[in-house]
Amino acid sequence: MSTPLSGPGSAQQAPGRGPVRTGSPRTSRTARNHAPITAAGLAAKVILLGLVAGIAIWAAFPLVAAEKWVGLAVLVLTTAALFYLYLGRRHVPAKYLIPGTLFLIAFQVVPVLYTASTAFTNFGDGHRGSKDDAIVAIQTSSVRQVPGSTQYPLSVATKGDPATGALVFLITKPGTDTVSVGDAGGLRPLEPGAATVGAGGKVTAADGYTVLNFGQASARSKDITDLVVPTAGGALRSSGLSRAYEGKAVRAYDAGCDCVKDSDSGKTWTADGEVGAFVAADGERLAQGWKVNVGLSNFTRVLTDERISGPFLGTLIWNFAFAIGSTGSTFILGMLIALALHSPRMRGTNLYRMLLILPYAMPSFAMLLVWRDMFNTDFGLINNLFGLSVDWFGQDWSARAAVILVQLWLGYPYMFLVATGALQAIPRELTEATSVDGASRWQSFRAVTLPLLLVALSPLLISSFAFNFNNFNAIYLTTEGAPFPADNPSNGATDLLITYTYRLAFGGQAAQFGFAAAISLFIFAIVAVVSVVSFRRTRQQEEVYA
Amino acid sequence: MRIRTAGVVALFALALAASGCGGDSDEPAAKDTPKAAGGKLVIWADDKRTAALKPFAEKFGQENGVSVEVQAVPNEDLQKNFVTVSSQGGGPDVVIGAHDWIGNLVQNGAIDPVQLSDEQKAAFNETAVKAVTFNGQLYGVPYAQENLALIRNTELAPEAPKTIEDLVATGKQLKAQKKVTETLCLQVGQKGDAYHIYPLYTSAGGYLFGTTANGDYDPKDLGVGKPESIAAFKKIAALGEKGEGVLKRSIADTNSTATFTGKKCAFLVSGPWATADVKKAGITYDISAVPGFAGGKPAAPFVGVQSFYVAAKGKNKALAQEFVANHVTKPDLAVALYQADPRPPALTAALDQVKSSDPDLAKFIEAGKNGQVLPAIPAMAAIWDPFGKAEAAVIGGADPTSTVTAAGKTIAGSIK
């Protein structure tokens, strides 16, 4: 037997819930070799392969620019293989399998591998880039204006072509018409009268030089920001295109000692390859760090950090309770309604069905927020309607009951739909036969209807369980994990592992992608084990009933 | 077989055409030469500011022969997206955002310091300049500042309360007369709200970070968990659900302004962003400083500054610096931005220009007189969540001593 519904899913799923398979043709076409070539088929082939080539070439440019040769090789090989496959007449099964496989690799396997590799690094705020990036950032941000120095009106000029010629700074001493020209060699005064000084002190023309306008100058942005004119106290640098200041880079990287030195205070910070930061002798770290491999420390932190391992078990148990509770309660309610509407004595079933679908049709994202407000102690609909003053999200058990109640409301229409479908596929003769044998309604339901329903719905229940196990929205949009115990702000009573992880990684402090990736792998392992066990049990069940 | 050959020929023609288009459109992004990016300034701002900035940016572009593109990025994603694209070597040349981003942007190497002359700095409100200074460097050019104040329904409460006790007395009286249902609309929520409770926390003697010799916040001197903070939370607890019932978790960011505009409370603690709603609701209101506890320290709200930053990885840094250091510092842009989003301008000249037409501005500034600059150090990120939750727990009736001590431990644990 089969149900008309395919693919995992439940009402609680947010839109865009991952790959939904749009039934690719699986019909056997062994006669393809002898099939005539139709114009439409040919056109489709040409357009699709053209697209493949176009995308490949589009993707190649950035790869070449970034000198990612491995990526380029993969791109070229994949494209060549696709052309070989679809231009030839052989390998017919592969023609159907390859697109799905490629998408699977691109959107499932690669992200999982990327997550796994991130879990071994300290990737996160303060450790995003390479060491070179960090050094550049440290040096640039340490440039300070020399105390008491003046700022000069600046013009950028060149002796050659505005687009390529070597640049010089033309600066005017404020309040005078004395113009100097500066380049990497230093500052030299220009002959009086050789330059025309405009309003505000900017040089507008100079003998032998072409003064760049903003358009020309901004095209050479990097050359201008890189041009440093040494002076006695430091160096002249540009501040934009119309002002120069005398600045000094206080901190400099020394490759010899692999350290950063501060010329003002004389302090040194030595590179520490294990934490990915420059660390001084007194333990002070420079803010700009870099990404390094930290081995298993993200994983061990889950087990050794008390704040994480302590509440982990409690959260895990509630996580199971939540997933089982929301899946189970929606299934029972949905099935009961489906049974009621399945009864031949029921009138107006279409109207009921329409009304029942309504919660399913609402966007769960908005509904969760509405429910959150309805549970408000003083202003919420629920307390006002029933004359209660329950602090719903303020106590552990009421908060847990509330989120399951919301899940029930959001989820039962889906279960109702699938149960209706499955019920219609159960032959009436079977239940009639039981009544002929003298079984009660309950006995016939227990012995015939329920087992057959479960065979059909078990895979859906398992996928619904797996989804609810990681149902981030359901918690984050209603309670955000609250209530929190007074002494532990990082783990709330309604927290699922996924919301808990999210808070650890992004919520309470700066982003820690590496650590979050490690926890994701833990969650992945738990969900995988649960799914494998339950699918195995389902198969056994099918063998029993089939 | 003939049809097949034709097909292959057609296919390659199409492939070439497709590649032609693809290659062209991608060239500026792919090639990093300054020439390809020449004369173009890309600015990221949130939706509201984008609208205000566009005419100004266009004018700047036309006058100087460059093209300026202002891209709208939703406010809540702006910082995150900027840091992400920046670490991949791309992104805008200029970014607009709150000053408390600076610590995070600097530690990720995403922004460069800005060099302003002394006259330019003097044109700004002193607090605003202090806010964008980090590690002794100026990292942004401020254009607006904001802080909390007490917004009061003058029909219900004609007098501005001098202390919290005054406020509670007035609120209770109104409640007894059935004119209101809540004493005070100060958002707490289930997770607490460190920003909104801060005036009360400081008035009761608490602090977040001590300061170093040069006036910067010192992440090593954490005030949360210290006796002062416990004493402060005891006072806050007395106003909580098990005490006076003035502070409640049921009042959250989603409903505090609406409760006030619905005339269910006479006092609202909020910032300049709330005035639009209050005006729309037709409430006669006045703005005064958030009162402190009787006999306590002055209530210090956080002062936040909105600012322009130069992206470290921008393609056109010289032009970006020119725009930020030499054009944003002129008052007309600050006035335009004020008109799009009414927060007090940070430039004194711009503030003087708009002050006469909007009395609220001066009142907000007056209310922020005792304010403390919102810390921009990266360690601040560790404060928000634990501090807020401790606040929510204490207001809900938890023991202040153990709650605040635990929060202090959590915060200290996440500051490296």
Side-chain angles (χ1 to χ4, degrees):
Chain A
M1 64 178 283
S2 69
T3 58
L5 288 137
S6 68
S10 86
Q12 295 94 317
Q13 287 191 349
R17 53 189 145 183
V20 174
R21 217 156 267 251
T22 51
S24 59
R26 294 267 165 164
T27 44
S28 155
R29 293 208 188 176
T30 42
R32 184 70 182 84
N33 280 336
H34 311 289
I37 294 165
T38 61
L42 189 68
K45 194 185 245 188
V46 168
I47 289 170
L48 287 175
L49 280 181
L51 265 176
V52 167
I55 290 171
I57 293 167
W58 167 79
F61 277 95
L63 286 173
V64 172
E67 303 187 349
K68 304 260 191 224
W69 305 123
V70 179
L72 191 69
V74 170
L75 183 75
V76 169
L77 285 178
T78 317
T79 315
L82 280 174
F83 270 79
Y84 166 75
L85 187 66
Y86 288 99
L87 286 178
R89 287 181 161 233
R90 296 166 58 202
H91 311 298
V92 175
K95 284 180 180 170
Y96 290 103
L97 287 175
I98 286 297
T101 315
L102 279 182
F103 283 123
L104 182 77
I105 291 172
F107 296 114
Q108 298 275 350
V109 177
V110 172
V112 168
L113 290 180
Y114 185 70
T115 308
S117 65
T118 306
F120 295 97
T121 67
N122 65 350
F123 185 38
D125 275 341
H127 300 275
R128 283 178 187 254
S130 65
K131 190 175 174 182
D132 292 342
D133 289 342
I135 292 168
V136 170
I138 288 167
Q139 294 184 148
T140 327
S141 63
S142 80
V143 177
R144 278 163 210 246
Q145 204 171 317
V146 176
S149 65
T150 39
Q151 298 223 3
Y152 304 91
L154 164 78
S155 291
V156 181
T158 178
K159 277 193 165 166
D161 179 45
T164 52
L167 296 180
V168 295
F169 286 163
L170 296 174
I171 58 161
T172 320
K173 200 167 176 201
T176 66
D177 279 353
T178 327
V179 176
S180 303
V181 57
D183 56 23
L187 205 58
R188 304 176 300 280
L190 214 61
E191 294 276 312
T196 322
V197 178
K202 262 191 88 153
V203 173
T204 49
D207 292 348
Y209 291 100
T210 317
V211 175
L212 270 58
N213 63 28
F214 270 19
Q216 289 165 331
S218 64
R220 306 198 52 188
S221 185
K222 197 168 176 340
D223 298 343
I224 294 171
T225 41
D226 285 353
L227 180 55
V228 173
V229 180
T231 59
L236 275 181
R237 294 160 202 266
S238 61
S239 169
L241 302 171
S242 56
R243 225 151 34 84
Y245 69 99
E246 198 172 358
K248 203 169 118 188
V250 180
R251 284 174 189 170
Y253 175 71
D254 184 344
C257 63
D258 195 14
C259 66
V260 171
K261 280 186 179 149
D262 188 308
S263 58
D264 269 6
S265 63
K267 203 167 175 181
T268 42
W269 291 265
T270 315
D272 184 335
E274 283 187 13
V275 294
F278 288 102
V279 187
D282 62 1
E284 187 202 342
R285 280 188 204 184
L286 290 182
Q288 299 94 335
W290 61 94
K291 190 167 129 184
V292 288
N293 201 328
V294 293
L296 287 170
S297 79
N298 284 328
F299 294 92
T300 50
R301 187 176 152 198
V302 178
L303 305 173
T304 54
D305 189 333
E306 259 178 34
R307 292 196 304 134
I308 298 156
S309 61
F312 194 86
L313 187 67
T315 308
L316 184 66
I317 293 171
W318 156 244
N319 203 151
F320 273 106
F322 171 78
I324 294 169
S326 38
T327 310
S329 63
T330 51
F331 172 67
I332 291 170
L333 184 63
M335 186 188 65
L336 289 180
I337 298 176
L339 283 172
L341 290 189
H342 193 59
S343 157
R345 285 182 294 169
M346 197 73 188
R347 298 261 165 258
T349 47
N350 280 341
L351 181 70
Y352 283 122
R353 278 192 191 135
M354 228 164 65
L355 290 175
L356 283 168
I357 299 299
L358 271 182
Y360 189 33
M362 304 272 196
S364 66
F365 194 82
M367 284 300 111
L368 288 167
L369 294 176
V370 170
W371 274 97
R372 178 194 66 189
D373 290 343
M374 294 208 296
F375 278 113
N376 188 302
T377 316
D378 291 321
F379 312 102
L381 181 73
I382 293 180
N383 276 355
N384 287 346
L385 202 63
F386 299 106
L388 301 171
S389 57
V390 178
D391 183 7
W392 283 101
F393 291 154
Q395 298 156 25
D396 292 5
W397 288 104
S398 60
R400 286 175 186 152
V403 289
I404 295 217
L405 213 62
V406 176
Q407 285 302 98
L408 176 62
W409 187 82
L410 283 169
Y412 81 86
Y414 169 78
M415 289 298 176
F416 160 71
L417 271 182
V418 295
T420 304
L423 275 178
Q424 266 150 15
I426 297 175
R428 291 217 182 244
E429 294 84 53
L430 287 177
T431 39
E432 278 160 19
T434 55
S435 64
V436 169
D437 285 350
S440 71
R441 287 184 156 271
W442 171 244
Q443 280 173 324
S444 118
F445 172 74
R446 282 250 355 233
V448 177
T449 317
L450 187 62
L452 287 174
L453 259 183
L454 279 180
V455 170
L457 299 186
S458 287
L460 293 177
L461 288 176
I462 293 168
S463 53
S464 177
F465 171 85
F467 176 80
N468 275 319
F469 196 83
N470 276 333
N471 198 338
F472 182 81
N473 283 351
I475 300 300
Y476 197 74
L477 296 179
T478 51
T479 62
E480 293 191 53
F484 292 87
D487 56 351
N488 183 2
S490 56
N491 182 259
T494 55
D495 256 333
L496 300 183
L497 287 173
I498 189 81
T499 52
Y500 178 47
T501 313
Y502 179 83
R503 183 170 314 110
L504 285 175
F506 312 102
Q509 46 220 294
Q512 308 174 52
F513 301 119
F515 181 55
I519 298 228
S520 311
L521 291 184
F522 273 104
I523 298 181
F524 175 75
I526 294 169
V527 175
V529 168
V530 171
S531 300
V532 166
V533 170
S534 28
F535 274 115
R536 194 163 279 172
R537 292 203 51 163
T538 315
R539 211 179 309 141
Q540 286 167 357
Q541 199 184 24
E542 273 175 45
E543 277 158 17
V544 171
Y545 295 123
Chain B
M1 204 56 213
R2 209 175 298 142
I3 216 166
R4 172 152 294 274
T5 323
V8 171
V9 171
L11 175 115
F12 277 109
L14 201 91
L16 278 177
S19 65
C21 304
D24 276 348
S25 66
D26 198 52
E27 211 157 351
K31 282 195 183 175
D32 267 348
T33 59
K35 220 175 172 180
K40 192 174 166 195
L41 188 68
V42 180
I43 302 173
W44 276 15
D46 69 12
D47 309 338
K48 259 189 192 166
R49 285 177 256 273
T50 305
L53 212 55
K54 261 198 176 137
F56 190 87
E58 266 161 30
K59 204 175 120 215
F60 172 80
Q62 274 166 9
E63 279 171 9
N64 298 302
V66 292
S67 70
V68 182
E69 198 179 309
V70 188
Q71 292 171 354
V73 180
N75 193 24
E76 58 270 29
D77 305 330
L78 191 53
Q79 186 191 6
K80 204 170 61 191
N81 286 351
F82 173 57
V83 172
T84 309
V85 295
S86 172
S87 61
Q88 286 156 4
D93 301 298
V94 173
V95 159
I96 301 173
H99 85 269
D100 57 314
W101 296 1
I102 290 177
N104 189 33
L105 295 184
V106 170
Q107 72 171 349
N108 287 314
I111 54 172
D112 274 354
V114 182
Q115 305 293 342
L116 293 188
S117 68
D118 292 340
E119 304 102 86
Q120 282 177 314
K121 278 187 209 165
F124 285 99
N125 180 327
E126 211 178 308
T127 327
V129 174
K130 198 178 153 202
V132 292
T133 307
F134 178 68
N135 281 347
Q137 285 278 49
L138 201 69
Y139 273 95
V141 171
Y143 79 86
Q145 68 175 68
E146 62 208 17
N147 54 264
L148 291 177
L150 183 73
I151 304 174
R152 169 177 104 253
N153 185 332
T154 44
E155 255 174 53
L156 298 168
E159 290 291 311
K162 291 205 170 53
T163 59
I164 283 286
E165 287 78 3
D166 276 359
L167 186 152
V168 173
T170 315
K172 280 196 162 168
Q173 205 185 339
L174 289 167
K175 226 168 142 178
Q177 295 165 351
K178 304 263 178 209
K179 284 189 180 161
V180 294
T181 55
E182 304 300 327
T183 318
L184 169 66
C185 285
L186 186 149
Q187 64 191 59
V188 178
Q190 292 296 342
K191 278 179 57 179
D193 189 321
Y195 184 83
H196 283 82
I197 201 71
Y198 195 67
L200 297 189
Y201 176 70
T202 48
S203 172
Y207 71 99
L208 290 183
F209 295 109
T211 44
T212 58
N214 62 7
D216 286 348
Y217 285 104
D218 180 6
K220 284 186 202 108
D221 179 10
L222 177 67
V224 185
K226 295 261 167 73
E228 295 94 325
S229 67
I230 294 169
F233 268 100
K234 278 185 180 154
K235 284 197 169 182
I236 290 170
L239 295 176
E241 290 166 22
K242 298 264 163 76
E244 302 264 11
V246 174
L247 300 171
K248 289 173 153 187
R249 285 170 298 169
S250 59
I251 296 174
D253 55 342
T254 48
N255 60 10
S256 73
T257 310
T259 311
F260 178 74
T261 54
K263 298 190 181 175
K264 286 179 191 152
C265 59
F267 302 101
L268 169 72
V269 173
S270 196
W273 51 87
T275 48
D277 282 346
V278 175
K279 276 184 193 151
K280 218 191 286 165
I283 286 175
T284 50
Y285 67 97
D286 198 9
I287 296 160
S288 54
V290 180
F293 290 98
K297 295 188 176 173
F302 279 129
V303 177
V305 166
Q306 300 287 331
S307 155
F308 284 78
Y309 306 108
V310 175
K313 302 282 172 62
K315 298 207 168 54
N316 209 338
K317 241 154 77 168
L319 189 60
Q321 276 167 353
E322 175 67 24
F323 181 75
V324 169
N326 300 333
H327 289 262
V328 174
T329 44
K330 293 175 184 164
D332 38 343
L333 176 66
V335 172
L337 285 168
Y338 157 77
Q339 277 150 1
D341 186 17
R343 303 181 196 218
L347 269 174
T348 322
L351 179 67
D352 291 343
Q353 221 174 312
V354 296
K355 210 159 60 176
S356 53
S357 61
D358 186 352
D360 288 357
L361 283 189
K363 288 176 190 164
F364 267 113
I365 294 212
E366 183 61 27
K369 214 177 58 185
N370 285 324
Q372 291 175 6
V373 173
L374 180 57
I377 50 176
M380 189 61 198
I383 293 273
W384 297 113
D385 191 64
F387 188 94
K389 280 172 185 154
E391 175 207 339
V394 166
I395 287 173
D399 170 48
T401 311
S402 58
T403 308
V404 178
T405 312
K409 263 188 206 150
T410 308
I411 294 167
S414 31
I415 298 175
K416 278 172 227 157

